């Protein structure tokens, strides 16, 4: 197969024209210049292209729909127009057949690989990892389900419905986990944000991100026919005021954006021009936090946010903890004894008990694979086909769990009683 030189394939062959006899062979000097690029699908004898041949004969095309040859309606180069309209052509257009040259699409990525579409599909959460039977507190379920239903049938109700549900309470009480269990039970596919996304070095970026995620949840409702909502975890950590912390521009914009969404839930702009047909589906918003008194007062007023204080009772705690220990064969009576032995503890404390009981079994397993000196070789530099020794989980017993709980309580008391920061800064108090 004859080779195609860059001069022959280029839409502007005169850029590669040299000052020479048109009938002479195209040659370049090796001094300070690169060799001419040639594209070939199979090795063959070189057939140099001359300038006169490139001008007199029809230019060779790489494909029938080559974007190198394509022109728009105004006669301008198609790639130039795409580059002028989009910040990044690869992300804005993607490797879509018929738009980008088939030579670059290839078969290994598929004929239609749209990067942006794949990213949008992953913006929601499905909770497939939540396998097994977990306990959902009835009061928690009723509050979340009622909020979602009221917002979806808001057009049928002649009442003022807050768009935001604020779930707040003590640390480690399972607010986020209970909400995720309810989403899985109801078939809700939410868009989830965290407090870390509410600040940026660019002014206005977090507010735009909230509006963009809100519209993404609206598209899930409209295009996929699924229930969806926008959930923001630890809102007070992102925009709350603690002590003498400084209020930033992004903090103000985030609060203003959430207030605007609560007041106009079907008219959400991400910077484009307003049109009469641009109506967004009403999307319920759920936020979690520990202390909503640190938030901007107009944001948490009753017309915009409905507050729900979550403090699980003894029965809720026993049922939730029993769900954690179901696979270990721990009975309800044994769970009740654990809860009574360590009262006034958060739910994550009882989950930490189970994790602490694995420590001794893991150390024994480390000895089986060669000791601490062999960890890097065994864990990170395994040869193909080599398998690590099977890890056998320890059998959970009531005595082992209580022993682990006692060690955790001692660590808590040590932190509260030591207060080394006061010891280090004692001269500052004088």
């Amino acid at each position: 197969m004859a080779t195609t030189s860059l001069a022959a394939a280029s839409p502007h062959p005169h850029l590669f024209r040299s000052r020479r006899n048109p009938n002479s062979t195209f040659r370049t000097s090796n001094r300070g210049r690169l060799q001419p690029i040639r594209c070939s699908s199979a090795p063959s004898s070189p057939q140099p292209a001359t300038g006169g041949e490139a001008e007199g004969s029809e230019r060779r095309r790489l494909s029938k729909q080559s974007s190198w040859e394509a022109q728009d309606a105004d006669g301008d180069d198609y790639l130039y127009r795409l580059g002028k309209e989009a910040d990044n052509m690869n992300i804005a257009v993607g490797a879509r057949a018929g738009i980008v040259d088939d030579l670059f699409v290839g078969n290994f990525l598929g004929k239609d690989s749209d990067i942006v579409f794949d990213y949008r599909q992953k913006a929601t959460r499905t909770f497939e990892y939540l396998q097994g039977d977990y306990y959902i507190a009835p009061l928690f379920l009723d509050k979340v389900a009622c909020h979602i239903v009221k917002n979806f049938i808001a057009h049928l109700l002649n009442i003022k419905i807050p768009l935001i549900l604020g779930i707040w309470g003590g640390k480690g009480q399972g607010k986020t986990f209970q909400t995720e269990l309810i989403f899985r039970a109801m078939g809700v596919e939410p868009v989830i944000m965290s407090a870390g996304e509410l600040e940026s070095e660019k002014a206005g970026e977090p507010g735009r991100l909230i509006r963009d995620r809100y519209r993404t949840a609206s598209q899930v409702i409209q295009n996929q026919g699924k229930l969806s909502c926008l959930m923001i975890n630890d809102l007070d950590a992102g925009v709350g005021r603690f002590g003498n912390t400084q209020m930033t521009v992004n903090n103000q914009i985030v609060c203003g954006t959430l207030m605007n969404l609560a007041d106009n839930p079907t008219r959400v702009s991400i910077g484009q021009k307003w049109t009469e047909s641009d109506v967004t589906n009403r999307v319920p918003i759920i936020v979690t936090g520990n202390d909503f008194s640190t938030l901007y007062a107009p944001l948490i007023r009753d017309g915009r946010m409905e507050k729900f204080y979550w403090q699980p009772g003894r029965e809720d705690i026993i049922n939730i903890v029993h769900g954690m220990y179901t696979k270990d064969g721990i009975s309800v009576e044994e769970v009740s004894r654990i809860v009574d032995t360590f009262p006034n503890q958060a739910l994550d404390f009882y989950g930490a008990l189970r994790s602490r009981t694995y420590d001794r079994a893991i150390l024994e397993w480390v000895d089986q694979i060669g000791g601490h000196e062999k960890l890097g070789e065994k864990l990170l530099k395994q040869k193909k086909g080599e398998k690590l020794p099977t890890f056998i989980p320890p059998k959970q017993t009531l005595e082992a769990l209580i022993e682990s709980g006692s060690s955790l309580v001692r660590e808590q008391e040590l932190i509260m009683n030591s207060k080394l920061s006061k010891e280090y800064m004692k001269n500052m108090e004088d």
Side-chain angles (χ1 to χ4, degrees), residues 194-211:
S194 64
E197 298 176 278
L198 302 182
E199 188 56 76
S200 173
E201 66 276 7
K202 298 180 180 179
E205 189 67 23
R208 179 185 176 88
L209 181 61
I210 291 176
R211 296 192 298 272

PDB file of all heavy atoms in Angstrom, residues 194-211:
ATOM      1  N   SER A 194     -20.964  16.290  49.620  1.00  0.00           N
ATOM      2  CA  SER A 194     -20.404  16.340  50.961  1.00  0.00           C
ATOM      3  C   SER A 194     -19.967  17.766  51.275  1.00  0.00           C
ATOM      4  O   SER A 194     -19.904  18.626  50.393  1.00  0.00           O
ATOM      5  CB  SER A 194     -19.211  15.388  51.093  1.00  0.00           C
ATOM      6  OG  SER A 194     -18.150  15.803  50.247  1.00  0.00           O
ATOM      7  N   ALA A 195     -19.633  17.994  52.540  1.00  0.00           N
ATOM      8  CA  ALA A 195     -19.227  19.334  52.963  1.00  0.00           C
ATOM      9  C   ALA A 195     -17.946  19.778  52.281  1.00  0.00           C
ATOM     10  O   ALA A 195     -17.713  20.974  52.107  1.00  0.00           O
ATOM     11  CB  ALA A 195     -19.049  19.358  54.480  1.00  0.00           C
ATOM     12  N   GLY A 196     -17.097  18.845  51.894  1.00  0.00           N
ATOM     13  CA  GLY A 196     -15.842  19.206  51.246  1.00  0.00           C
ATOM     14  C   GLY A 196     -16.013  19.860  49.891  1.00  0.00           C
ATOM     15  O   GLY A 196     -15.084  20.500  49.391  1.00  0.00           O
ATOM     16  N   GLU A 197     -17.192  19.718  49.275  1.00  0.00           N
ATOM     17  CA  GLU A 197     -17.450  20.316  47.970  1.00  0.00           C
ATOM     18  C   GLU A 197     -18.063  21.713  48.077  1.00  0.00           C
ATOM     19  O   GLU A 197     -18.385  22.311  47.054  1.00  0.00           O
ATOM     20  CB  GLU A 197     -18.378  19.414  47.153  1.00  0.00           C
ATOM     21  CG  GLU A 197     -17.798  18.044  46.863  1.00  0.00           C
ATOM     22  CD  GLU A 197     -18.774  17.152  46.132  1.00  0.00           C
ATOM     23  OE1 GLU A 197     -19.654  16.553  46.791  1.00  0.00           O
ATOM     24  OE2 GLU A 197     -18.664  17.039  44.892  1.00  0.00           O
ATOM     25  N   LEU A 198     -18.243  22.211  49.282  1.00  0.00           N
ATOM     26  CA  LEU A 198     -18.894  23.506  49.481  1.00  0.00           C
ATOM     27  C   LEU A 198     -17.901  24.653  49.594  1.00  0.00           C
ATOM     28  O   LEU A 198     -18.280  25.760  49.956  1.00  0.00           O
ATOM     29  CB  LEU A 198     -19.779  23.463  50.735  1.00  0.00           C
ATOM     30  CG  LEU A 198     -20.874  22.391  50.724  1.00  0.00           C
ATOM     31  CD1 LEU A 198     -21.709  22.474  51.992  1.00  0.00           C
ATOM     32  CD2 LEU A 198     -21.755  22.526  49.491  1.00  0.00           C
ATOM     33  N   GLU A 199     -16.637  24.384  49.314  1.00  0.00           N
ATOM     34  CA  GLU A 199     -15.632  25.432  49.311  1.00  0.00           C
ATOM     35  C   GLU A 199     -14.711  25.211  48.121  1.00  0.00           C
ATOM     36  O   GLU A 199     -14.466  24.086  47.705  1.00  0.00           O
ATOM     37  CB  GLU A 199     -14.829  25.429  50.614  1.00  0.00           C
ATOM     38  CG  GLU A 199     -13.874  26.621  50.769  1.00  0.00           C
ATOM     39  CD  GLU A 199     -14.581  27.946  50.649  1.00  0.00           C
ATOM     40  OE1 GLU A 199     -15.269  28.355  51.590  1.00  0.00           O
ATOM     41  OE2 GLU A 199     -14.461  28.570  49.577  1.00  0.00           O
ATOM     42  N   SER A 200     -14.254  26.305  47.530  1.00  0.00           N
ATOM     43  CA  SER A 200     -13.398  26.231  46.350  1.00  0.00           C
ATOM     44  C   SER A 200     -12.545  27.483  46.273  1.00  0.00           C
ATOM     45  O   SER A 200     -12.872  28.519  46.862  1.00  0.00           O
ATOM     46  CB  SER A 200     -14.245  26.080  45.075  1.00  0.00           C
ATOM     47  OG  SER A 200     -13.448  26.164  43.907  1.00  0.00           O
ATOM     48  N   GLU A 201     -11.411  27.362  45.540  1.00  0.00           N
ATOM     49  CA  GLU A 201     -10.586  28.548  45.349  1.00  0.00           C
ATOM     50  C   GLU A 201     -11.211  29.518  44.359  1.00  0.00           C
ATOM     51  O   GLU A 201     -10.776  30.668  44.246  1.00  0.00           O
ATOM     52  CB  GLU A 201      -9.189  28.143  44.858  1.00  0.00           C
ATOM     53  CG  GLU A 201      -9.143  27.520  43.476  1.00  0.00           C
ATOM     54  CD  GLU A 201      -9.426  26.031  43.491  1.00  0.00           C
ATOM     55  OE1 GLU A 201      -9.792  25.515  44.566  1.00  0.00           O
ATOM     56  OE2 GLU A 201      -9.265  25.386  42.448  1.00  0.00           O
ATOM     57  N   LYS A 202     -12.245  29.055  43.637  1.00  0.00           N
ATOM     58  CA  LYS A 202     -12.948  29.904  42.685  1.00  0.00           C
ATOM     59  C   LYS A 202     -14.265  30.381  43.303  1.00  0.00           C
ATOM     60  O   LYS A 202     -15.064  29.570  43.765  1.00  0.00           O
ATOM     61  CB  LYS A 202     -13.244  29.143  41.396  1.00  0.00           C
ATOM     62  CG  LYS A 202     -11.987  28.686  40.657  1.00  0.00           C
ATOM     63  CD  LYS A 202     -12.350  27.937  39.388  1.00  0.00           C
ATOM     64  CE  LYS A 202     -11.102  27.475  38.648  1.00  0.00           C
ATOM     65  NZ  LYS A 202     -11.444  26.715  37.417  1.00  0.00           N
ATOM     66  N   ALA A 203     -14.487  31.662  43.307  1.00  0.00           N
ATOM     67  CA  ALA A 203     -15.719  32.210  43.869  1.00  0.00           C
ATOM     68  C   ALA A 203     -16.919  31.804  43.029  1.00  0.00           C
ATOM     69  O   ALA A 203     -16.908  31.938  41.807  1.00  0.00           O
ATOM     70  CB  ALA A 203     -15.631  33.736  43.955  1.00  0.00           C
ATOM     71  N   GLY A 204     -17.944  31.275  43.683  1.00  0.00           N
ATOM     72  CA  GLY A 204     -19.170  30.892  42.999  1.00  0.00           C
ATOM     73  C   GLY A 204     -19.206  29.465  42.516  1.00  0.00           C
ATOM     74  O   GLY A 204     -20.270  28.985  42.101  1.00  0.00           O
ATOM     75  N   GLU A 205     -18.078  28.758  42.558  1.00  0.00           N
ATOM     76  CA  GLU A 205     -18.052  27.391  42.037  1.00  0.00           C
ATOM     77  C   GLU A 205     -18.919  26.424  42.848  1.00  0.00           C
ATOM     78  O   GLU A 205     -19.662  25.635  42.274  1.00  0.00           O
ATOM     79  CB  GLU A 205     -16.601  26.892  41.995  1.00  0.00           C
ATOM     80  CG  GLU A 205     -16.422  25.565  41.278  1.00  0.00           C
ATOM     81  CD  GLU A 205     -16.702  25.642  39.794  1.00  0.00           C
ATOM     82  OE1 GLU A 205     -16.608  26.746  39.230  1.00  0.00           O
ATOM     83  OE2 GLU A 205     -17.040  24.601  39.195  1.00  0.00           O
ATOM     84  N   PRO A 206     -18.888  26.425  44.204  1.00  0.00           N
ATOM     85  CA  PRO A 206     -19.764  25.521  44.954  1.00  0.00           C
ATOM     86  C   PRO A 206     -21.246  25.776  44.703  1.00  0.00           C
ATOM     87  O   PRO A 206     -22.032  24.832  44.618  1.00  0.00           O
ATOM     88  CB  PRO A 206     -19.383  25.792  46.413  1.00  0.00           C
ATOM     89  CG  PRO A 206     -17.993  26.315  46.356  1.00  0.00           C
ATOM     90  CD  PRO A 206     -17.948  27.129  45.096  1.00  0.00           C
ATOM     91  N   GLY A 207     -21.652  27.055  44.593  1.00  0.00           N
ATOM     92  CA  GLY A 207     -23.058  27.340  44.302  1.00  0.00           C
ATOM     93  C   GLY A 207     -23.478  26.802  42.958  1.00  0.00           C
ATOM     94  O   GLY A 207     -24.573  26.238  42.807  1.00  0.00           O
ATOM     95  N   ARG A 208     -22.629  26.960  41.954  1.00  0.00           N
ATOM     96  CA  ARG A 208     -22.930  26.417  40.629  1.00  0.00           C
ATOM     97  C   ARG A 208     -22.995  24.896  40.676  1.00  0.00           C
ATOM     98  O   ARG A 208     -23.835  24.276  40.021  1.00  0.00           O
ATOM     99  CB  ARG A 208     -21.870  26.874  39.629  1.00  0.00           C
ATOM    100  CG  ARG A 208     -22.080  26.333  38.215  1.00  0.00           C
ATOM    101  CD  ARG A 208     -20.945  26.714  37.294  1.00  0.00           C
ATOM    102  NE  ARG A 208     -21.103  26.117  35.984  1.00  0.00           N
ATOM    103  CZ  ARG A 208     -21.774  26.665  34.981  1.00  0.00           C
ATOM    104  NH1 ARG A 208     -22.356  27.839  35.154  1.00  0.00           N
ATOM    105  NH2 ARG A 208     -21.876  26.068  33.823  1.00  0.00           N
ATOM    106  N   LEU A 209     -22.101  24.272  41.476  1.00  0.00           N
ATOM    107  CA  LEU A 209     -22.098  22.818  41.583  1.00  0.00           C
ATOM    108  C   LEU A 209     -23.401  22.307  42.194  1.00  0.00           C
ATOM    109  O   LEU A 209     -23.946  21.290  41.756  1.00  0.00           O
ATOM    110  CB  LEU A 209     -20.909  22.377  42.427  1.00  0.00           C
ATOM    111  CG  LEU A 209     -20.732  20.865  42.618  1.00  0.00           C
ATOM    112  CD1 LEU A 209     -20.517  20.174  41.275  1.00  0.00           C
ATOM    113  CD2 LEU A 209     -19.576  20.575  43.566  1.00  0.00           C
ATOM    114  N   ILE A 210     -23.918  23.021  43.202  1.00  0.00           N
ATOM    115  CA  ILE A 210     -25.186  22.614  43.809  1.00  0.00           C
ATOM    116  C   ILE A 210     -26.315  22.680  42.784  1.00  0.00           C
ATOM    117  O   ILE A 210     -27.138  21.762  42.679  1.00  0.00           O
ATOM    118  CB  ILE A 210     -25.497  23.496  45.037  1.00  0.00           C
ATOM    119  CG1 ILE A 210     -24.520  23.196  46.169  1.00  0.00           C
ATOM    120  CG2 ILE A 210     -26.939  23.277  45.505  1.00  0.00           C
ATOM    121  CD1 ILE A 210     -24.696  24.099  47.375  1.00  0.00           C
ATOM    122  N   ARG A 211     -26.358  23.775  42.024  1.00  0.00           N
ATOM    123  CA  ARG A 211     -27.408  23.888  41.007  1.00  0.00           C
ATOM    124  C   ARG A 211     -27.258  22.833  39.923  1.00  0.00           C
ATOM    125  O   ARG A 211     -28.253  22.287  39.433  1.00  0.00           O
ATOM    126  CB  ARG A 211     -27.368  25.286  40.389  1.00  0.00           C
ATOM    127  CG  ARG A 211     -27.673  26.409  41.352  1.00  0.00           C
ATOM    128  CD  ARG A 211     -27.915  27.725  40.642  1.00  0.00           C
ATOM    129  NE  ARG A 211     -26.747  28.173  39.897  1.00  0.00           N
ATOM    130  CZ  ARG A 211     -25.772  28.909  40.403  1.00  0.00           C
ATOM    131  NH1 ARG A 211     -25.832  29.278  41.685  1.00  0.00           N
ATOM    132  NH2 ARG A 211     -24.754  29.301  39.661  1.00  0.00           N
TER     133      ARG A 211
END
